[in-house]
Amino acid sequence: MSTPTALEARPRVGSRFRLQWEQAQQSWVLLFPEGMVKLNGSAGEIMKRCDGVRAVGQIVADLEASFGTQGLQADVLAFLDIARGKHWIED
């Protein structure tokens, strides 16, 4: 179970990275001076919502509404933990 503060965090793309849609890759990518990270569909959908304005709870609600599903909170939190560890996002 997550703490309320985890859902209140307002993640944004890390300062070393730039998120953009890459037409040639047909996916969202994170660009950084040393290279590029190609994101899978789910990761791209989460990352493009990490704007520093929306709280994690809002990101989860938006994803659930956009894809007509429920129960994404645990998966989103798990991905954000990984992304934080790789410095893809900052809070």
Side-chain angles (χ1 to χ4, degrees):
M1 191 75 173
S2 65
T3 62
T5 54
L7 295 177
E8 293 168 1
R10 297 181 186 278
R12 66 183 178 283
V13 175
S15 58
R16 292 184 45 222
F17 298 90
R18 186 175 82 222
L19 178 69
Q20 74 178 40
W21 175 257
E22 188 64 43
Q23 189 65 30
Q25 301 284 333
Q26 285 294 297
S27 67
W28 287 95
V29 297
L30 284 170
L31 299 175
F32 58 104
E34 299 84 24
M36 176 182 79
V37 176
K38 181 179 176 182
L39 302 171
N40 69 24
S42 299
E45 290 296 328
I46 296 168
M47 288 294 296
K48 74 181 188 181
R49 289 167 170 82
C50 292
D51 55 11
V53 175
R54 288 181 264 202
V56 172
Q58 292 170 306
I59 292 170
V60 170
D62 185 48
L63 288 164
E64 289 176 343
S66 294
F67 295 99
T69 191
Q70 296 293 310
L72 297 179
Q73 181 175 308
D75 291 335
V76 171
L77 289 171
F79 171 78
L80 292 175
D81 283 343
I82 292 167
R84 266 187 211 94
K86 294 178 183 261
H87 305 287
W88 293 351
I89 61 167
E90 302 167 347
D91 290 312

